[in-house]
Amino acid sequence: MANDEAQTRIQRLNRARILDAGLETFSTEGFSGATLDAIARAAGMSKPNVLYYFPSKEAIYDAILQRMLETWLDPLRALDAEGEPVEELLAYVKRKLHLARDYPVESRLFAGEILRGAPNMIDRLSGPLREMVDMHCGVIRAWMEDGRIAQSDPHHLIISIWALTQHYADFEVQVRAVLGKKRDPWAEAEAHLEMHFRRVLSE
Amino acid sequence: MANDEAQTRIQRLNRARILDAGLETFSTEGFSGATLDAIARAAGMSKPNVLYYFPSKEAIYDAILQRMLETWLDPLRALDAEGEPVEELLAYVKRKLHLARDYPVESRLFAGEILRGAPNMIDRLSGPLREMVDMHCGVIRAWMEDGRIAQSDPHHLIISIWALTQHYADFEVQVRAVLGKKRDPWAEAEAHLEMHFRRVLSE
DNA sequence: GCATTATTTGACCGCCTGGTAAACTGGACG
DNA sequence: CGTCCAGTTTACCAGGCGGTCAAATAATGC
């Protein structure tokens, strides 16, 4: 038998196709609403073939969450302690907003999982994610103590960035409904958030 | 036959019990994940009895959404144009935050419906809700033109209030995971948001 | 009391679901 | 050619789903 690591070209391809199809399906239908048939159809293969690559529906879901957290959150790791604080944080907001804009599907899947109480993700939240946030908070707190940005709770500052950027992706229908059809939510959001956080951060 | 309006005491009671049970079930399981059996069990009656009061699962869901929007959003209608602008808006933030804190189930159901693209709510979003928001924006815009609060886009200001307050309810698991077990998200959120918006609104 | 109507339920149906078994395909290697 | 095996599919199953029906039970009006 092949060992764990060995994967043929076709295996990698089909696994990826299933994960892509599942991402789309789970994010729009929810975990219960998504059916294996729908995922298989979206992946362009038969249902048993899907189950040839993954042991169960939940295994697909878990694999999607894992892949997402590994790749999706990557641009958020950097927060340069040596940079100019305000510009550094505004760049962070911008990166996060673009992440939400360019990967709304991932954003919604993430939101859906958390809405349900994060049954398949809670350990990653209080593990890796929390460490990342705590690291950021260390940098931010230092900036605050040096008087380079306004004082506030670093954790809640991060939370507010996440809340505002995610909102434009997750609640896009509501945002569009409230703004009307002729406006461009994402462009406006970028301008508004820059000004918004400039005020929040300025001493 | 009884006309449309006539409802016996027991009808009102049981309809309400079903809506309460459905609210709980739908918000934690999602529309597809919630089963009529689960709703019936939560309401303390048999499944056919539930379907005696509502023609279908979706009818229950719609009725819940309607009741929710009518009662849940009520405290947000008021925005006194005669009051002191900053305090008026901070009071609005506080009301919205307490709404999220005291009715997290409603908040999550609302969020879940919007995540899915608001298939059963889109008309209410672009109708009544939008009118309410536009009204608020009128008051806010007047305040800005009088130079009583800082200039920004009123719609996005409202959106930012909604985003930040909803986030603490809808993403409560994540907030708790990031903050750690010993902290009190809601108390901290209230303090942080007051300071946050004071800065955003101050000239 | 009785008749009538409103409410409740157990039994049931057809459909769809996640998942399985076994057979089939096509290329690699001898 | 035949063997082998990763990859794929057809046929299928047991259980759960939303929903129906007819019969039983409680209220209600007289």
Side-chain angles (χ1 to χ4, degrees), chain B residues 52-119:
Chain B
Y52 172 76
Y53 289 102
F54 292 92
S56 71
K57 176 178 166 180
E58 194 167 12
I60 301 175
Y61 187 71
D62 284 338
I64 291 173
L65 284 185
Q66 180 171 351
R67 185 184 68 163
M68 186 183 76
L69 288 181
E70 278 169 9
T71 65
W72 185 58
L73 293 181
D74 229 44
L76 300 182
R77 289 193 193 287
L79 194 59
D80 183 9
E82 309 303 321
E84 213 292 303
V86 173
E87 301 309 319
E88 200 66 35
L89 281 168
L90 288 179
Y92 183 91
V93 172
K94 203 171 186 174
R95 278 204 305 279
K96 180 70 180 64
L97 184 68
H98 287 179
L99 220 48
R101 180 195 60 190
D102 298 336
Y103 300 92
V105 181
E106 281 83 353
S107 187
R108 274 192 273 268
L109 184 73
F110 183 79
E113 168 69 9
I114 291 189
L115 257 188
R116 286 176 34 221

Side-chain angles (χ1 to χ4, degrees), chain A residues 32-33 108 114-115 130 150-153 155-156 160 163-164 167-168 173 177 183 188 192 195-196 199-200, chain B residues 32-33 108 114-115 130 150-153 155-156 160 163-164 167-168 173 177 183 188 192 195-196 199-200:
Chain A
S32 315
R108 275 193 272 269
I114 291 188
L115 257 188
R130 188 181 169 185
Q151 295 270 349
S152 67
D153 184 306
H155 282 98
H156 286 274
S160 71
L164 285 168
H167 191 82
Y168 283 95
V173 238
R183 298 175 65 172
E188 295 181 16
H192 185 87
M195 189 209 55
H196 182 103
R199 288 181 188 161
V200 168
Chain B
S32 315
R108 274 192 273 268
I114 291 189
L115 257 188
R130 192 183 165 182
Q151 294 269 349
S152 67
D153 184 306
H155 282 98
H156 287 274
S160 71
L164 286 167
H167 192 82
Y168 283 96
V173 240
R183 299 174 66 171
E188 295 181 16
H192 185 88
M195 189 211 53
H196 183 102
R199 286 181 189 161
V200 168

Side-chain angles (χ1 to χ4, degrees), chain A residues 107-148:
Chain A
S107 187
R108 275 193 272 269
L109 184 73
F110 184 79
E113 169 68 10
I114 291 188
L115 257 188
R116 286 176 35 220
N120 300 47
M121 219 171 61
I122 186 69
D123 45 337
R124 288 173 218 279
L125 288 186
S126 32
L129 181 68
R130 188 181 169 185
E131 284 169 24
M132 192 183 94
V133 172
D134 282 344
M135 263 186 45
H136 290 170
C137 286
V139 176
I140 293 173
R141 189 172 289 109
W143 285 339
M144 287 179 180
E145 285 168 0
D146 290 353
R148 304 183 67 188

